[in-house]
Amino acid sequence: QVQLVESGGGSVQVGGSLRLSCLASGSTASIRCMAWFRQAPGMAREGVASVYNRSGGRIWYAGYVDSVKGRFTITQDKGKNTLYLQMNSLKPEDTAIYYCAADATVSACSGAAWNAGDFGAWGQGTQVTVSS
């Protein structure tokens, strides 16, 4: 099993930046796909960015939802078992609870969109609030 713990959320003004972290523990060697989702009040959980490893090698591929392209960057530090989401030029519509997710299958991350139901491990979420 994989356990995920997010941190780094907070309140910022429009145009500000935050960096979210997700520390993975447990069976981390099984992870082939990790993603950030977000959920605003009354809205469905939305995939924001993902990284996945196709063949168990060293190359990880990243993808982003259109609304965050050019503003958010997903990275990972394998040595620290940590996934990051650098968020710049934040907008009020970025306000949401942000969740880290992981799965042992590449298919969870490699499609055009990400389905929350395809991910087997989730963190508890961290609140991001962007005010104008």
Side-chain angles (χ1 to χ4, degrees), residues 37-78:
F37 282 76
R38 65 186 179 186
Q39 189 166 20
M43 303 293 287
R45 195 166 293 193
E46 172 193 38
V48 174
S50 76
V51 287
Y52 65 94
N53 179 281
R54 282 196 180 131
S55 59
R58 299 176 64 182
I59 299 175
W60 288 71
Y61 299 87
Y64 301 89
V65 69
D66 285 347
S67 60
V68 307
K69 283 181 180 177
R71 300 189 299 122
F72 290 11
T73 304
I74 186 170
T75 58
Q76 58 178 340
D77 185 330
K78 294 294 288 180

Side-chain angles (χ1 to χ4, degrees), residues 52-112:
Y52 65 94
N53 179 281
R54 282 196 180 131
S55 59
R58 299 176 64 182
I59 299 175
W60 288 71
Y61 299 87
Y64 301 89
V65 69
D66 285 347
S67 60
V68 307
K69 283 181 180 177
R71 300 189 299 122
F72 290 11
T73 304
I74 186 170
T75 58
Q76 58 178 340
D77 185 330
K78 294 294 288 180
K80 295 181 178 179
N81 288 326
T82 301
L83 182 74
Y84 301 99
L85 185 68
Q86 178 66 44
M87 305 186 295
N88 298 327
S89 302
L90 283 161
K91 305 175 180 180
E93 51 263 42
D94 295 319
T95 296
I97 299 175
Y98 283 71
Y99 298 90
C100 176
D103 201 75
T105 64
V106 174
S107 59
C109 281
S110 59

